[in-house]
Amino acid sequence: MKQVIYVCLLMMTCFVSAASAAETRVALVIGNGAYRNAPTLRNPAADATAVATALRRLHFNVVLGTDLDQQAMISKLRIFRQASENAEIAIIYYSGHGIQVAGENWLLPVSAKLESDRDLQYEAVRVDSVLEETMGAKNLRVFVIDACRDNPFKQSLARSMGATRSAAIGRGLARSEPKIRGTLIAYATKADDVASDGIGNNSPFTSAFLKHVETPGVDVRLVFGKIRDSVMAETAGAQEPAIYASLGGDPIYLNPAVTQGAPSTADSTSTEIVFWNSIKDENNPGSFLEYKRQYPSGRFIGLADIKLKQLAEKSSSTPSKSADGTIMGQVSSYSPDGWPVIGGKVVRLYGVQSFPIKNIEFFKWFSTNFSTIVCQPRPGDSYRCLNQDNIDLSQAILLNGGSRATKDAITEYREIENRAKKEKRGIWKG
């Protein structure tokens, strides 16, 4: 049990992030990889996390989301729109599936099914609508899309559209020209082409972005030029990023040569209030967990805990799943093979191969010390479960050496498994 407590403290430390960021620099970063009705993508969650970290070092206030359904994506966009109003620079970075149909581009939430082209407006997010959310920024708007993978729904869309209309299903994304001065749009590869998800921790495009975005004293146009060159070198010319821009003659720096001053407390407080006001009336526990992750010492922490407790009590009295499949409540019992039961549902942890009976003690400890566990659906009837302090239970099990990672586990889980191996924890002791 001491080992479990050590892991919990470690995971709490890992999930705490600084919430302060400059008022005039705002970013929305989304990575969608754990698709429920399509093959998963390995890198988007890791891409988003790494990009968010880099932008925070550049004094951006970052709204981060990974593996979001459509409702969650729209919620993040709403938060970003409010935070970016009158900002000097607004950036949106998206990694995941994106498609074009009839010349229009769409980003795909992890919940998308797309059995018909008519489903797009109900299950996907229009790229032009996303770009419009940057329009409140005064100086520079940047939209980066690392989403030009193969269309996973091409066959179902083609069947619904028929032989003639299905010709409108294009490869990759259609060209997108800025509609307002001061805008830069970057694709991971050129229009009507597909990009690689890569074999490393990040996609080739995101790797190049991380390499160059923090270079001091370089104009934003040259930054993306260097990103293009790096991607082409990494892929032996097979992938050429595309840049569409309408910028004036004055240089714009993401990282000025002169070090910027630290952001003020007032700036952070203002953004926190915008965030809280955008979620306070929701009934989605994930929004309140995200608030606690971004603002671990925030002024609304007490209210967030009360809201989570109320939602947990409601879930316990009505154990059916929410509309998006989320299960919330306390562990009530355990299945014969050791998986926890929450709200009457056996919950199989995402990214974990098996759950040895001895690890029931782990959940008993969580149930005693943390009243609420939120489990969000993942492919293959598995769930990603977080406790009220946003600790990922799959990560904790893998870090303890309590089990092996599954083949479809995200890169982050595999890295945690490797750490357990190196430290000879649990099953790796021998």
Side-chain angles (χ1 to χ4, degrees):
M1 190 55 61
K2 289 182 178 179
Q3 186 182 46
V4 171
I5 296 173
Y6 159 77
V7 170
C8 293
L9 292 174
L10 176 63
M11 298 302 290
M12 287 180 194
T13 302
C14 292
F15 276 101
V16 172
S17 62
S20 60
E23 177 184 351
T24 58
R25 294 175 156 235
V26 180
L28 170 63
V29 181
I30 295 175
N32 285 342
Y35 285 90
R36 303 170 193 168
N37 305 292
T40 59
L41 297 174
R42 293 190 323 108
N43 290 326
D47 289 344
T49 301
V51 167
T53 299
L55 292 178
R56 286 180 178 128
R57 286 195 294 263
L58 294 174
H59 303 299
F60 279 85
N61 176 63
V62 178
V63 178
L64 173 63
T66 57
D67 297 329
L68 305 179
D69 59 22
Q70 188 194 44
Q71 181 180 1
M73 283 185 69
I74 292 172
S75 176
K76 295 292 184 185
L77 283 166
R78 185 181 298 118
I79 294 168
F80 171 77
R81 180 187 63 211
Q82 294 174 321
S84 63
E85 195 68 32
N86 295 318
E88 292 295 328
I89 301 176
I91 292 178
I92 296 178
Y93 197 106
Y94 175 84
S95 179
H97 274 307
I99 65 174
Q100 64 160 308
V101 177
E104 189 164 32
N105 296 322
W106 301 82
L107 304 182
L108 300 188
V110 297
S111 54
K113 290 185 178 179
L114 299 186
E115 296 174 350
S116 165
D117 60 312
R118 291 183 298 242
D119 293 332
L120 284 166
Q121 61 182 317
Y122 304 111
E123 298 179 11
V125 178
R126 186 180 281 104
V127 165
D128 283 349
S129 298
V130 176
L131 185 57
E132 287 174 1
E133 303 300 345
T134 68
M135 295 309 173
K138 297 183 292 185
N139 193 23
L140 175 66
R141 291 155 289 276
V142 177
F143 191 8
V144 182
I145 311 179
D146 189 1
C148 308
R149 282 85 168 179
D150 284 322
N151 182 347
F153 299 104
K154 185 174 182 178
Q155 291 184 349
S156 60
L157 289 172
R159 283 195 300 270
S160 71
M161 296 172 71
T164 302
R165 292 178 60 234
S166 63
I169 304 172
R171 298 181 77 229
L173 298 178
R175 184 184 180 94
S176 182
E177 294 290 347
K179 295 180 174 62
I180 185 172
R181 185 177 180 273
T183 302
L184 185 150
I185 302 170
Y187 286 1
T189 192
K190 58 188 177 182
D192 305 312
D193 202 355
V194 294
S196 170
D197 198 34
I199 59 175
N201 291 333
N202 302 113
S203 73
F205 182 84
T206 295
S207 294
F209 181 89
L210 295 170
K211 179 180 179 181
H212 296 292
V213 70
E214 296 182 75
T215 305
V218 178
D219 178 75
V220 66
R221 284 157 282 215
L222 292 178
V223 168
F224 280 93
K226 290 179 180 294
I227 292 171
R228 171 195 172 276
D229 292 346
S230 291
V231 172
M232 292 194 69
E234 175 68 22
T235 62
Q239 182 174 326
E240 180 181 359
I243 311 298
Y244 311 103
S246 176
L247 302 178
D250 295 330
I252 303 174
Y253 303 104
L254 297 178
N255 188 8
V258 178
T259 303
Q260 295 178 329
S264 69
T265 302
D267 295 339
S268 302
T269 301
S270 175
T271 305
E272 180 192 354
I273 292 173
V274 170
F275 189 165
W276 177 257
N277 286 338
S278 70
I279 68 169
K280 64 181 181 180
D281 296 322
E282 290 186 13
N283 291 314
N284 178 12
S287 297
F288 297 97
L289 289 172
E290 175 66 12
Y291 169 81
K292 293 187 67 174
R293 188 193 68 78
Q294 290 199 34
Y295 302 98
S297 301
R299 60 171 59 190
F300 304 109
I301 283 292
L303 292 175
D305 286 338
I306 291 172
K307 186 72 174 182
L308 283 167
K309 183 177 180 181
Q310 291 173 341
L311 292 174
E313 291 172 350
K314 182 179 179 181
S315 176
S316 298
S317 61
T318 56
S320 59
K321 294 190 294 185
S322 64
D324 66 352
T326 297
I327 297 172
M328 182 176 178
Q330 294 179 303
V331 176
S332 59
S333 60
Y334 303 89
S335 68
D337 52 353
W339 296 105
V341 177
I342 302 174
K345 170 74 175 180
V346 176
V347 176
R348 177 186 176 277
L349 290 182
Y350 168 69
V352 176
Q353 282 189 11
S354 61
F355 196 81
I357 299 298
K358 64 181 181 179
N359 280 334
I360 289 179
E361 293 300 320
F362 178 87
F363 267 101
K364 285 183 177 178
W365 189 85
F366 267 90
S367 302
T368 301
N369 291 274
F370 304 100
S371 61
T372 304
I373 296 177
V374 178
C375 297
Q376 299 164 323
R378 287 295 181 266
D381 195 32
S382 62
Y383 291 81
R384 179 177 182 239
C385 296
L386 299 90
N387 79 327
Q388 192 163 330
D389 284 318
N390 224 25
I391 297 174
D392 185 317
L393 305 190
S394 293
Q395 289 185 350
I397 291 293
L398 292 170
L399 187 57
N400 268 307
S403 185
R404 293 176 171 83
T406 57
K407 292 181 179 179
D408 65 345
I410 58 176
T411 302
E412 184 179 1
Y413 285 10
R414 295 192 173 279
E415 291 175 347
I416 290 172
E417 180 186 54
N418 289 335
R419 177 175 175 180
K421 288 180 183 178
K422 291 179 181 178
E423 297 179 0
K424 299 187 183 302
R425 291 181 169 274
I427 61 175
W428 309 111
K429 285 181 179 179

